[in-house]
Amino acid sequence: MNLSMTKGDKVPSGTRKTSKRVRQPADLKEAIETSLKVGRPFSIVGLGASAGGLEALEVFFKKMPVDSGLAFIVVQHLDPTHEDMLPDLLQRDTAMPVCRIEDRMKVVPNHVYVIPPNRDLSLLHGVLYLIEQVSGPGPRLPIDFFFRSLAEDWREWGIGVVLSGMGSDGTLGLRAIKEQCGAVFVQDPKSAKYDSMVQSAIHEGLADVIAPVEELPMQILDYVNLGFRPVFAVPEGAKEDSSDLEKIMILLRRQTGHDFSVYKRSTIWRRIERRMTLHHLTAMADYVRYLRENPQDLEILFKEMLIGVTEFFRDDLVWESLKNEVFPELIRSRPDGGVLRAWVAGCSTGEEAYSMAMVFLEAKENVKPNHRISLQIFATDLSEDAIERARCGVYPQGIVKNVSEERLQRFFTADSNHFRVSKEIREMVIFAHQNVVSDAPFTKLDLLSCRNLLIYFIADLQKKLLPLFHYCLNPKSVLVLGNAETVGNAGDLFIPLSSKARIYRRLETPVQAGIMRFPLVFKHPVGRLHPSHGMATSLAAPVMDLQVLANDFLLRHYTPVAALVTDTGDILYIHGKTGRFLEPAAGQANWNIFAMAKESLNHALFEAFHRAVRKKEVVTVKGLQMGTEDRETCVDITVHPIEEPSALLRMVLVVFSEIPVISTVGIKGHPKSGTAKSIELAEMTSNLRASQEELQVLREEMQTTGEELKSANEELQSTNEELQSMNEELTTSKEEMQAMNEELQVVNQDLMVKVRDLSRTNNDIKNLLSGTDIATLFLDSNINVRWFAPQMTDLINLVQSDIGRPITDLVSQLDYPDLAKDTREVLRTLIVKDREIPTHDGRWFAARIMPYRIDEKMIDGLVITFLNISERKNLASELDACKVRLLELQKNPPDKKG
């Protein structure tokens, strides 16, 4: 970015403004020494350049200090047939040794290494290896090849620099460097002689710093100097206050609406560390303050969090297994004309989704007999920018390293410096913005691919996502994970099909209640973030003191028994001894509280429970009599719907409180029989039994009604699933309509351009004909009028309604009876015919009849032009008269005397 930018200027995504601060050599030397003490390797700067790159390289090395402590590797597009003079040319601009790279050359600081012609360059453990280039589809891409190797070997200490050049070489390599938290510096397009390469890097959002080439050396030194500090050499250290990290998570959530606390701490730390280094900040508290003052950097940090590790046909073993085993089996299992559904979660810029579509078409061709099976792929990602690039389906030239020549010719079209995915593949994929953590997933899937996404999440979230994936898949469907991911504790849900390829088949295992939430809402465990562990750590184990022991004793001995149930009565948790109130029902095991409640409590419990759930209030039933063999007791039942905390939302707590009743039988002074009170007591007992029988009948009727309601609820649930399926189909149709609308807009723009060109051409023709004053008539193959110039109306009585009529049916001023004959002859012979035709009013016209050619081999009518030659004819007549008079004078000369 130019130094002239002000604070209010807009900065492209992923970039920062340059600084005028110059690093002093003494400071840099001190930083290098500090780095060596903590064991940090030196940084390697890879410079990629092409057309116009020599001038940029010369300026770069003139500005770079000799003792920078960096190693520089120059990769340029070189002509293999010409002698390489680049090392000698660069040696004039720097005092550092400039070497032409030889095989197995070790990289050391303060040296410049230049790639030789016709070679690709690789780096392994700080040693350079030359690989002979092979011919293939598309241009050679040595910059991409080396940048990828630099990212894999030197990781966050690799620096990629792109200078002037044509094409898009280097873009995919810069993405690899940034994935490893390296830095990317790009020459300002305004100062580049050819800006295609730098524009490609900027368009992909990969540039950290954009500056003129003369300012890039100091920018790199500023970045490296701060990066040498020990606090960054030990990312897992606890020197920063963890509250600052939590504050950054809060700012990110407020700005973007996404919670990154479910990501592993190492991932978060590396991205934040990198942004701090680019802004020359050493304390995380300073970075929190910077984010508060510059909210736009939150968007940049958010996008860097989402940089995906993706490419076409990543991990060949996975795609071979899908092509030869998975897809053929899925195709054979579906009826002819069916549709397979696949979901690619975390699709990034779309390479994996498009790869899946290509592999499916190849697999379908190999299945015999042929099946008319189609595949619908839903590809989702959290990054809206990545989704937009995926929808475009345009990728740089570097994909030739991963896509075979056959696939390039079949599934792509070359588009200047890029490759565009064919329409056939594009129509198979629907891209959508989605957060896999919080948004509802796709269901009824035959294939679910979630590769290299779970590794960024904490373990608790992984345990919640796998049961959700199990729910989304159809029976015997397939789950594909990344090469560093496994199903872990979900081994009862999935069985490996290919352990090496991380491909699993869904098992018909019911998911336990409470494990899966749909749609998933993940809540971070309560507790502080600890700098030496992952992102989520629960509270430390409580200290067992007297207060804790006393509370535990009180809970076990002096609190009433209770059951925690769902809003439908299914028991989730039991506290205390509930055997006096609940007992297992005969028959198949049923853990519903209404099925287990004692008969004397069932009716009252049923009414109280449903009233409490319906009105969302605490309901208490007191004095329920419950008889046993040795005594009678009274029971109070309290039904409490739970609203807080959110983890217990929609759950109900049923509390049983037992109140003993002293029997009156056998007490001294109490009458045992034959008294009025005994008779009254017997009548009351009889009435009570009658009431209980009546209540039992009512209870059975209500139970029947409840079963009918349950059946109706299941039907409604089935209808709801169908509506959900219809909603998904409507969403799919909406995406397809949106894609068609985008295509129609492109076609409409093309048509508008063509209409504008056609209108301009039509005006040019009209002005041409008006300027030349030539009467022109167009006839079709049947000598019917197709079009005529305005001048023709002076010779033939033509109006617009005459278009389509034969020329022989029109009244003409021309004395040309052979017009129809000549036109047919020209159509037959294709030989131009010229005639001079008089008119009835004494004028003369030169008529030319020519074939109307669509191309060299196609004739579609005639063109007849009439040029007014009346003046020429009159002059010729006068000249003939003069000649006759002259001859007469020569024969009869006048008398000399006269």
Side-chain angles (χ1 to χ4, degrees), residues 65-100:
V66 178
D67 55 349
S68 63
L70 308 175
F72 303 90
I73 300 177
V74 179
V75 181
Q76 192 177 26
H77 294 170
L78 302 172
D79 188 343
T81 61
H82 288 74
E83 183 180 359
D84 178 22
M85 301 293 294
L86 185 58
D88 299 330
L89 296 175
L90 294 181
Q91 190 66 77
R92 299 180 305 182
D93 301 306
T94 179
M96 289 185 289
V98 181
C99 314
R100 182 179 287 104

Side-chain angles (χ1 to χ4, degrees), residues 352-365:
E352 183 178 347
Y354 288 133
S355 299
M356 183 178 292
M358 298 175 203
V359 167
F360 170 77
L361 292 181
E362 294 173 347
K364 189 170 70 168
E365 293 175 351

Side-chain angles (χ1 to χ4, degrees), residues 70-303:
L70 308 175
F72 303 90
I73 300 177
V74 179
V75 181
Q76 192 177 26
H77 294 170
L78 302 172
D79 188 343
T81 61
H82 288 74
E83 183 180 359
D84 178 22
M85 301 293 294
L86 185 58
D88 299 330
L89 296 175
L90 294 181
Q91 190 66 77
R92 299 180 305 182
D93 301 306
T94 179
M96 289 185 289
V98 181
C99 314
R100 182 179 287 104
I101 297 175
E102 298 178 357
D103 200 27
R104 298 182 61 82
M105 180 177 283
K106 186 175 180 59
V107 180
V108 295
N110 300 324
H111 280 65
V112 180
Y113 302 89
V114 181
I115 188 174
N118 203 28
R119 292 290 186 274
D120 282 329
L121 182 62
S122 183
L123 183 69
L124 179 64
H125 305 313
V127 178
L128 297 171
Y129 293 87
L130 294 174
I131 303 173
E132 186 175 356
Q133 290 181 342
V134 294
S135 59
R140 292 186 293 269
L141 304 171
I143 302 175
D144 268 331
F145 192 93
F146 173 69
F147 279 177
R148 289 185 182 185
S149 178
L150 175 63
E152 294 169 357
D153 193 64
W154 226 239
R155 301 178 68 81
E156 61 264 36
W157 297 294
I159 299 175
V161 180
V162 171
L163 304 176
S164 172
M166 300 180 66
S168 61
D169 191 11
T171 300
L172 294 181
L174 291 179
R175 179 178 294 277
I177 290 176
K178 202 155 186 180
E179 287 168 0
Q180 298 295 338
C181 291
V184 173
F185 295 80
V186 176
Q187 182 180 358
D188 190 340
K190 296 179 181 178
S191 67
K193 190 172 183 180
Y194 297 92
D195 64 354
S196 297
M197 280 174 48
V198 296
Q199 288 285 17
S200 178
I202 296 172
H203 175 72
E204 292 293 324
L206 301 174
D208 292 313
V209 176
I210 302 174
V213 65
E214 59 270 14
E215 298 172 12
L216 287 178
M218 288 302 105
Q219 294 297 325
I220 294 173
L221 291 179
D222 282 344
Y223 170 81
V224 173
N225 191 0
L226 189 63
F228 279 129
R229 297 184 181 275
V231 65
F232 294 100
V234 188
E236 297 298 330
K239 298 184 179 182
E240 297 288 347
D241 186 0
S242 62
S243 65
D244 292 326
L245 183 61
E246 294 172 358
K247 292 174 184 177
I248 295 176
M249 297 299 101
I250 293 171
L251 293 175
L252 273 173
R253 185 177 61 184
R254 181 181 302 172
Q255 179 80 6
T256 66
H258 299 293
D259 184 9
F260 282 93
S261 62
V262 297
Y263 281 60
K264 289 182 179 177
R265 181 183 176 276
S266 58
T267 301
I268 302 295
W269 176 267
R270 291 174 67 189
R271 304 299 183 190
I272 293 176
E273 174 195 34
R274 190 173 169 281
R275 296 303 304 171
M276 290 172 62
T277 303
L278 289 169
H279 291 298
H280 311 300
L281 300 173
T282 58
M284 191 173 291
D286 295 335
Y287 187 51
V288 174
R289 189 179 306 110
Y290 178 85
L291 291 176
R292 294 294 302 275
E293 296 173 354
N294 301 272
Q296 68 274 10
D297 205 70
L298 282 168
E299 291 292 337
I300 298 174
L301 178 60
F302 168 68
K303 292 177 180 178

Side-chain angles (χ1 to χ4, degrees), residues 680-852:
E680 184 180 356
L681 181 60
E683 291 178 354
M684 292 177 62
T685 303
S686 178
N687 293 336
L688 180 60
R689 288 176 180 173
S691 299
Q692 288 178 345
E693 291 176 357
E694 184 180 355
L695 287 175
Q696 179 65 24
V697 173
L698 292 175
R699 186 161 55 246
E700 292 175 356
E701 292 177 355
M702 291 186 66
Q703 186 175 358
T704 302
T705 304
E707 292 176 355
E708 293 176 354
L709 288 174
K710 185 176 181 181
S711 177
N713 184 49
E714 292 177 353
E715 294 178 359
L716 288 174
Q717 186 176 359
S718 177
T719 304
N720 184 47
E721 292 177 355
E722 293 177 1
L723 290 174
Q724 185 177 356
S725 177
M726 292 176 61
N727 184 47
E728 293 176 0
E729 294 175 0
L730 288 175
T731 302
T732 302
S733 301
K734 179 183 177 182
E735 293 285 346
E736 293 175 352
M737 291 292 292
Q738 183 177 355
M740 291 177 62
N741 185 43
E742 293 173 358
E743 295 176 1
L744 288 175
Q745 287 180 356
V746 174
V747 173
N748 186 43
Q749 291 176 354
D750 294 340
L751 290 176
M752 289 176 63
V753 172
K754 291 181 180 179
V755 169
R756 187 169 60 249
D757 295 342
L758 182 61
S759 177
R760 186 183 298 112
T761 303
N762 190 36
N763 292 331
D764 292 342
I765 292 175
K766 287 183 179 179
N767 284 279
L768 174 64
L769 295 176
S770 298
T772 56
D773 198 25
I774 298 175
T776 307
L777 177 66
F778 289 82
L779 304 179
D780 60 19
S781 300
N782 298 319
I783 66 171
N784 298 325
V785 177
R786 175 181 290 168
W787 183 85
F788 58 89
Q791 293 84 349
M792 280 300 303
T793 58
D794 192 35
L795 300 177
I796 302 176
N797 296 336
L798 285 167
V799 293
Q800 284 298 119
S801 59
D802 290 330
I803 293 177
R805 295 179 60 186
I807 189 63
T808 54
D809 294 351
L810 302 175
V811 178
S812 172
Q813 297 290 332
L814 299 169
D815 186 8
Y816 191 6
D818 295 333
L819 176 59
K821 177 182 176 183
D822 289 346
T823 54
R824 291 189 177 92
E825 184 178 352
V826 172
L827 280 174
R828 182 176 57 82
T829 62
L830 305 182
I831 299 175
V832 178
K833 186 178 288 293
D834 294 308
R835 292 287 184 91
E836 292 183 354
I837 308 299
T839 63
H840 298 304
D841 57 1
R843 292 176 295 167
W844 285 84
F845 287 86
R848 168 168 285 190
I849 306 175
M850 300 172 290
Y852 183 96

